[in-house]
Amino acid sequence: MEKIKYTVKIKRYNPEEDRSYWQDFEVEVEDSLTVLELLMHIKDKMDSTLTFRAFCRSAICGSCAMVINNRAGLACKIQAKDKIKRGVIKIEPLKTLKPVRDLVVDQEPAFDKLKKIKPYLEADPKIVPDNTKVESLVLPEEFARYDKQTDCILCMACYGQCNAIEGNPEYSGPFQLTKVFRFVMDTRDGMDIQERIKLAEDNGIWDCVQCQMCFAACPKGIASCEDILELRRVAKDTGEDNVATRRAKFWFETVFATGQIDKFNLPAVALNDEKGEEIRNNLAKEFTQRGISQEHFVPQPFENIKDFQKFIKKVEKEL
Amino acid sequence: MKKIGIYPGCCFQGADEHNYDIIVAFLDNMGLGNVLLDRAACCGGGVIDETNKKIVYGLNARNIALAEKEGVDLYTPCNTCYMIIAKTKLALDSDPELKDAVNKILADEGLEYKGEAKIYHTLNLIRDFVGLDEYKKRIKRQISGVKIAPYYGCHVLAPNEVAVDDPEDPTILREILEPLGVEIIEGYQNETTCCGYHAGFTSPGQKERLAIKPLEGAKEAGADIVATPCPLCHKAMDGYEEPILQVTQLINVACGMTPEETHIHINKTEVKLSL
Ligand code: SF4
Ligand code: SF4
Ligand code: FES
């Protein structure tokens, strides 16, 4: 083990003064520390007032999520050495939750949002036996659909990095929507699928900007961004008709027909109102002004498009 | 002459046709030849998943296979196309069964996904395909007296597995902009928040609220222009007070083109460059 010197830049919060400020700690420590051990070292040897939350030290309890070099993650899972950038490690509390003190944030608002989506199984009496003597069977291939998602430890790293919350504080959050997905996919769940989807819609699936940051943050490799797309798919397939589902249908149809999305007609078809028409008319005017020929308003099918269409059909069926 | 395959995404058509001219000129300025992969199809745009996720794998395996057939690597300036295609490549390269299954279907079109072609975006193309030294040699004039705030957008830095630079401390955009003679403004408020483009239809208010944030942050920090590599970020963020341009447009100007020639005049928010 080798000792290394670097600067730890910590964003602290003092609730008495309601003040956030950066403080630098110059450390000389073993190169084998996790970020959590580094924080414990600072608390132990340099500043006993430094406050952070941790418990299991092994990426299980979900207490120690924070932002390290602009990316949320678990302090106990991340090696400090890997995070030294030009001599500095930057540590902040999760960004979308209010700090209580230093690196500790108030998780309650995120838990309240979780409660709203009914994060529990409503047993389907047709599948789940009414006594404990008989097992409720789930086939491996059924479980595989949401196996990964059950690994969530509620650490809120994804939530602390979510752009949708940045734009709309009411947005429920990645792990909450992953939870909806998990129950939508669970064969034992008896809640009406439309009711589950309504919970997802009322809690933000259309507000997600698909930035992928939740996936980048998750210590368990859960891709909430993809679960959200799946929820949108289920919403569409169970009959939801709105701007988003019309967009999705039209998108696929035109890609199937030409290889490309028809962006000229998309607003009119998706919005399906006067505003959509107006956008199309304005686009037509703009194109004409810019000397774009009429045939370039919409994508033209590429050569041998029939072969491409056969390919897509086969992918749908066989992949 | 080294050649690269241009992947035609939706950022090249209709109202965005000019983006094609921008990148063809850019490749030309970099001394690269190009092959247009004209039978390539939409990457899925994060929307075709809402029909069937498997189609996204199929589409992009096919897109990459088309490049491989031409014996070229694939280049797209779009952050989202880059991320989705690179993600597919990762999935195919790490899952032999998936790769075999896709290849069985691709064979009907006489195509095969081999996994040889690399996926390039403007940022890693300059660094790894052109080379930063060669890039610098190709800059003919300086765009001086202008303060530029680099804005990466999301999909070149996340997911981490496909990031074109260290997502925690990216420097590539600065390294590309500095040789143009501009002053760089970094560390501004909301430098890393999303442009909101992909909520444009599903939640227009969300898109509006997000698009303006990095612009305001850059303006407050004293930047004259925000520079992004991504045509979608550009589209989402153009039209507010602070102007935004694509990095390739600035490069084209520094390589001797007039702002008009690289379509800077069609920006909704006017940009003035002193040359
Ligand atoms: S992809 Fe959606 S849920 Fe995930 S961080 Fe981005 S906005 Fe939030
Ligand atoms: S999805 Fe991942 S990052 Fe989000 S709370 Fe669960 S374990 Fe943490
Ligand atoms: S301390 Fe339990 S997850 Fe880090």
Side-chain angles (χ1 to χ4, degrees):
Chain A
M1 242 178 288
E2 214 187 307
K3 282 214 167 187
I4 42 175
K5 269 190 190 175
Y6 52 93
T7 306
V8 188
K9 220 177 183 20
I10 301 179
K11 191 172 187 182
R12 305 194 60 176
Y13 173 71
N14 178 334
E16 284 83 30
E17 298 170 14
D18 186 25
R19 184 172 75 96
S20 284
Y21 58 98
W22 288 93
Q23 187 175 353
D24 288 1
F25 296 92
E26 307 298 331
V27 297
E28 183 170 3
V29 289
E30 274 92 46
D31 63 0
S32 60
L33 301 189
T34 62
V35 172
L36 178 58
E37 286 165 336
L38 173 65
L39 291 170
M40 294 196 291
H41 168 87
I42 295 171
K43 189 174 175 69
D44 220 26
K45 300 275 191 303
M46 304 171 86
D47 185 343
S48 62
T49 67
L50 181 67
T51 309
F52 48 90
R53 202 189 264 129
F55 185 63
C56 72
R57 303 183 198 185
S58 45
I60 288 171
C61 74
S63 314
C64 67
M66 54 189 71
V67 173
I68 302 153
N69 295 341
N70 273 319
R71 287 300 183 97
L74 295 179
C76 71
K77 197 180 177 229
I78 293 169
Q79 284 297 312
K81 190 176 62 174
D82 302 340
K83 299 287 149 173
I84 308 168
K85 310 281 166 175
R86 287 176 273 181
V88 182
I89 299 186
K90 235 172 74 184
I91 305 175
E92 305 166 68
L94 292 180
K95 290 182 184 175
T96 52
L97 291 161
K98 287 217 168 64
V100 176
R101 182 182 291 279
D102 295 343
L103 300 168
V104 177
V105 292
D106 179 13
Q107 299 179 315
E108 271 326 297
F111 279 128
D112 288 343
K113 287 176 180 174
L114 180 63
K115 284 178 204 148
K116 272 202 194 156
I117 60 98
K118 303 195 178 169
Y120 42 80
L121 189 86
E122 283 196 353
D124 182 347
K126 292 196 291 293
I127 292 167
V128 182
D130 60 358
N131 62 76
T132 48
K133 290 195 189 88
V134 192
E135 275 183 298
S136 177
L137 292 180
V138 178
L139 298 172
E141 58 269 30
E142 289 171 349
F143 186 58
R145 284 186 229 145
Y146 58 94
D147 182 355
K148 183 119 207 141
Q149 286 77 358
T150 62
D151 291 345
C152 174
I153 56 170
L154 303 179
C155 70
M156 303 195 184
C158 55
Y159 189 93
Q161 192 90 53
C162 175
N163 275 294
I165 300 170
E166 188 71 43
N168 175 14
E170 298 297 309
Y171 180 76
S172 83
F175 74 86
Q176 294 87 339
L177 291 169
T178 278
K179 205 57 102 189
V180 181
F181 170 86
R182 182 235 169 286
F183 288 109
V184 163
M185 291 297 151
D186 195 320
T187 43
R188 299 162 303 171
D189 190 46
M191 194 191 294
D192 186 45
I193 186 95
Q194 253 133 355
E195 196 182 329
R196 285 267 183 226
I197 289 297
K198 176 116 190 7
L199 287 168
E201 295 196 287
D202 292 349
N203 290 285
I205 43 169
W206 312 114
D207 265 357
C208 164
V209 287
Q210 283 298 308
C211 66
Q212 314 281 308
M213 291 300 166
C214 45
F215 178 38
C218 180
K220 302 291 168 188
I222 297 166
S224 295
C225 41
E226 291 178 12
D227 297 343
I228 289 164
L229 290 181
E230 278 292 287
L231 287 171
R232 289 178 177 181
R233 178 184 64 73
V234 177
K236 177 174 67 58
D237 293 348
T238 51
E240 175 68 66
D241 181 38
N242 63 22
V243 54
T245 58
R246 287 191 294 272
R247 172 182 79 146
K249 280 184 203 156
F250 186 72
W251 198 294
F252 177 66
E253 280 162 21
T254 61
V255 169
F256 185 76
T258 68
Q260 293 290 342
I261 164 72
D262 171 1
K263 292 201 295 184
F264 176 67
N265 288 302
L266 177 65
V269 174
L271 294 170
N272 195 25
D273 60 10
E274 279 167 22
K275 196 166 163 247
E277 287 295 337
E278 196 187 310
I279 298 175
R280 179 158 55 192
N281 292 338
N282 289 343
L283 273 176
K285 256 187 240 152
E286 188 192 325
F287 288 0
T288 315
Q289 258 167 25
R290 280 168 56 183
I292 297 172
S293 64
Q294 193 114 21
E295 58 163 22
H296 280 109
F297 283 19
V298 299
Q300 299 299 323
F302 53 66
E303 211 187 315
N304 298 334
I305 193 78
K306 288 248 148 54
D307 294 344
F308 168 72
Q309 293 171 340
K310 269 187 223 146
F311 169 78
I312 295 293
K313 278 196 185 137
K314 252 188 160 173
V315 166
E316 272 187 292
K317 240 190 277 154
E318 292 173 21
L319 200 63
Chain B
M1 196 198 272
K2 259 169 112 179
K3 259 204 255 172
I4 189 92
I6 298 179
Y7 165 73
C10 68
C11 62
F12 292 154
Q13 47 137 315
D16 306 312
E17 229 181 24
H18 56 279
N19 285 327
Y20 183 64
D21 302 345
I22 295 172
I23 69 131
V24 169
F26 157 70
L27 293 174
D28 200 35
N29 285 326
M30 291 300 109
L32 298 178
N34 72 72
V35 188
L36 177 65
L37 305 170
D38 55 3
R39 295 188 62 246
C42 169
C43 72
V47 181
I48 288 191
D49 308 60
E50 292 168 36
T51 295
N52 179 341
K53 201 172 156 174
K54 291 187 293 184
I55 299 175
V56 181
Y57 286 136
L59 282 171
N60 293 309
R62 183 177 168 280
N63 289 334
I64 301 170
L66 285 165
E68 292 182 340
K69 193 174 185 185
E70 296 289 334
V72 289
D73 293 325
L74 182 151
Y75 165 58
T76 169
C78 171
N79 281 21
T80 299
C81 293
Y82 166 78
M83 181 275 288
I84 293 175
I85 298 173
K87 234 171 143 182
T88 302
K89 178 171 168 60
L90 217 60
L92 292 166
D93 291 348
S94 60
D95 183 347
E97 267 176 47
L98 178 67
K99 186 174 148 181
D100 282 353
V102 173
N103 271 334
K104 277 207 188 90
I105 312 175
L106 277 172
D108 292 354
E109 270 193 285
L111 292 169
E112 185 189 356
Y113 174 86
K114 298 192 199 81
E116 287 164 0
K118 293 201 181 70
I119 315 302
Y120 284 108
H121 173 269
T122 307
L123 301 182
N124 59 349
L125 184 92
I126 294 174
R127 185 190 57 206
D128 305 333
F129 196 79
V130 179
L132 277 171
D133 287 336
E134 177 64 23
Y135 165 71
K136 283 177 202 158
K137 276 189 219 149
R138 297 196 161 262
I139 305 297
K140 292 204 190 84
R141 58 173 172 177
Q142 301 283 290
I143 310 173
S144 46
V146 49
K147 296 191 184 113
I148 304 257
Y151 177 76
Y152 285 86
C154 299
H155 295 155
V156 282
L157 297 177
N160 298 344
E161 293 76 5
V162 301
V164 298
D165 200 2
D166 178 354
E168 290 168 25
D169 184 27
T171 54
I172 179 71
L173 197 42
R174 186 193 329 135
E175 288 169 63
I176 288 172
L177 289 168
E178 254 165 7
L180 310 183
V182 300
E183 192 184 320
I184 309 283
I185 307 274
E186 281 179 319
Y188 57 92
Q189 201 63 45
N190 289 312
E191 192 175 15
T192 57
T193 55
C194 174
C195 74
Y197 179 88
H198 293 287
F201 275 98
T202 57
S203 179
Q206 177 76 318
K207 185 252 141 189
E208 290 302 318
R209 288 187 297 272
L210 284 167
I212 200 164
K213 284 186 180 225
L215 293 168
E216 284 181 344
K219 187 169 184 286
E220 228 174 77
D224 304 312
I225 302 169
V226 174
T228 180
C230 177
L232 303 187
C233 293
H234 182 208
K235 195 175 165 84
M237 292 162 75
D238 181 24
Y240 300 89
E241 202 184 330
E242 177 84 348
I244 179 164
L245 284 179
Q246 291 175 54
V247 175
T248 40
Q249 291 179 293
L250 289 166
I251 296 171
N252 285 344
V253 170
C255 287
M257 293 174 81
T258 65
E260 287 227 342
E261 278 168 341
T262 193
H263 301 294
I264 288 179
H265 63 293
I266 61 174
N267 240 43
K268 290 201 184 99
T269 304
E270 201 191 339
V271 191
K272 287 210 178 73
L273 291 178
S274 47
L275 293 160

